[in-house]
Amino acid sequence: MAAPHELTALEQWQALQRGEISPTELTEHYLGRIEAQDSGLGAFVSVTADAARKRARFVEQLMPRSMPLWGLPFADKDLQSRAGVPARFGSRLMQDYVPAESDDLVLALDAAGGVSLGKTSTPEFGLPSYTETLAGPPARNPWDRSRGAGGSSGGAAVAVAARLLPFAPGSDGGGSVRIPAAACGLVGLKPSRGRVPSSSGINALGGLSVAGPLARTVADAALLLDAMIAPRGGHPQHLYSLRPPGDDAPLLAAAVRGEGRFQLGVMTTSAWDDAYPIEIAPEALAALMVAVDGFASMGHGLEETALEPDDSYVPAFRAIWQAGAASIPADTPEQEKLLEPLTRWLMNRGRELSARDLAQALTALSAYERSFIRQLSRFDAVLTPALALTPRPLGWYDAVDGERNFAQQVQYTPFTSMVNVSGLPAIVLPVAETGAGLPMGVQLIGRPGGEATLLALGAQLERRLQWQHRTPPEAGGPGLPCAR
């Protein structure tokens, strides 16, 4: 019989429903794996073992099995507050902060019947697209420990790829779910703005950041996303009148069935092309062709497309990213010294912006959103590389010069932030490996509210390529291959 971590999250949920394993047994299994495997990987910044055991007993004894995540372990990203658990935000500045209240997303996942095992690592305040921080060890890629896991949901990606969790929630303000998913060979889904009530993006600056799942399979991503949307099942409790078009039907069915034929655009241009030298690595183009060939063989229509030039996007996005850092609670020289150089650069630039600067940037990004959606509107989904380069070596990013560091991030991840600005859904799919065994993915950008189409397309490609059976070296350890 397969060990629990060798099963998909959906298979684990089904085993829980059948009584083949209990929530307490599954929790103990993953706590044991974390203790044995996480040393040197940097997936977790804290493991709340006693609280997890208590929570698993509560779920087992007092919560109905019908809850969407009944008994399934997960972990909170360390940008999310859980009452009584340190929330360090990847920063030395926040080392002693223990929140008294939990964030809405944390409460939602609890309401769905999940069992939190602790906190996954994130870069300082979630600002970089890589998870290497002065506050703790880096998140190392389970496919090659000398490589980074991406960010800012880097710890979550490491935990799922190394089979330390069945799946994990992340947050995505400029690619922070999709970047680490691509780097670590996972499925990562950024929902439409307004889709997830507890982390809709509507109250975020520029509407950029939303919560989304990281998982090994398309169905697992849909399972977690459904729980984020409607933690108690049934109709979700939306907190704003703004939401994506379409109904609130569960998405797991689309991911399991994987049906439909669609018209796809294929695009290698990005919003950053005119401001930075963007070069797409051969490995990224090869992965794109794997997806193109796969979709073409299944009868989907494919057509090359390109973005119109736009000189307003880059300064506007930079201004919003800097403005978002301006509220970091570093108000004295001593506190500022605890921040990393990139964070200080972003924060100080953000504090130099005027109200007029901010208003102009928000107006420009709103116009870009309309233009981007218009340009892609004739397609059911648009296919791009997930990342422009292979997973980056640890220490590759400039640790001193904030401007150069920002440019490096753009060159690695040019295809992600424009999706946040537009509020569209997007999914990353792990379609290929390099000659050195590193995962490479592609991104599908959907129409507003088009998550079901993305999941159906992902399921079709998954059935063809069978990526769910690939196992990184760090996933099992000696004598524990992940063979199914």
Side-chain angles (χ1 to χ4, degrees), residues 264-269 303-307 375-376 378-379 382-383:
L264 307 180
V266 181
M267 185 171 75
T268 56
T269 54
E303 176 187 339
E304 290 188 9
T305 189
L307 291 175
Q375 292 178 63
L376 304 188
R378 69 181 186 275
F379 303 110
V382 174
L383 184 65

Side-chain angles (χ1 to χ4, degrees), residues 164-378:
L164 308 182
L165 290 172
F167 47 31
S171 57
D172 193 315
S176 292
V177 163
R178 290 160 290 149
I179 294 163
C184 294
L186 300 173
V187 177
L189 198 155
K190 174 214 167 292
S192 302
R193 185 181 299 139
R195 173 68 72 190
V196 177
S198 59
S199 184
S200 66
I202 296 170
N203 61 339
L205 185 63
L208 297 182
S209 185
V210 299
L214 296 98
R216 286 163 47 199
T217 73
V218 174
D220 288 354
L223 176 67
L224 181 52
L225 181 57
D226 277 341
M228 290 177 167
I229 295 170
R232 294 174 177 84
H235 191 75
Q237 295 180 329
H238 285 291
L239 305 176
Y240 300 92
S241 59
L242 177 66
R243 66 187 71 171
D247 58 31
D248 286 314
L251 295 163
L252 181 58
V256 171
R257 292 195 303 263
E259 296 174 345
R261 293 292 177 268
F262 302 100
Q263 186 65 27
L264 307 180
V266 181
M267 185 171 75
T268 56
T269 54
S270 83
W272 300 95
D273 290 353
D274 293 333
Y276 292 89
I278 306 298
E279 296 183 9
I280 304 175
E283 296 90 342
L285 292 174
L288 183 66
M289 288 311 301
V290 169
V292 167
D293 291 344
F295 285 129
S297 69
M298 292 183 282
H300 298 284
L302 292 111
E303 176 187 339
E304 290 188 9
T305 189
L307 291 175
E308 300 167 1
D310 189 305
D311 58 6
S312 66
Y313 178 90
V314 171
F317 185 88
R318 281 170 57 102
I320 294 301
W321 206 250
Q322 291 162 353
S327 61
I328 289 171
D331 300 317
T332 68
E334 291 74 20
Q335 290 174 328
E336 187 171 332
K337 286 179 182 177
L338 294 173
L339 300 176
E340 298 177 20
L342 173 67
T343 308
R344 282 201 304 272
W345 176 76
L346 289 168
M347 182 186 73
N348 290 326
R349 288 294 183 89
R351 291 177 178 179
E352 293 168 358
L353 294 169
S354 67
R356 181 178 181 179
D357 294 331
L358 184 57
Q360 289 176 337
L362 289 168
T363 299
L365 292 188
S366 179
Y368 188 85
E369 176 181 345
R370 296 193 299 274
S371 173
F372 189 78
I373 292 173
R374 172 185 58 77
Q375 292 178 63
L376 304 188
S377 63
R378 69 181 186 275

Side-chain angles (χ1 to χ4, degrees), residues 381-437:
V382 174
L383 184 65
T384 76
L387 302 169
L389 306 173
T390 59
R392 295 293 80 199
L394 292 172
W396 182 75
Y397 293 95
D398 195 304
V400 177
D401 187 334
E403 184 73 63
R404 181 168 184 267
N405 183 298
F406 189 89
Q408 289 175 303
Q409 293 186 64
V410 168
Q411 290 168 319
Y412 182 40
T413 67
F415 303 105
T416 54
S417 66
M418 57 195 182
V419 183
N420 298 83
V421 168
S422 68
L424 295 176
I427 192 169
V428 156
L429 305 169
V431 300
E433 292 182 18
T434 69

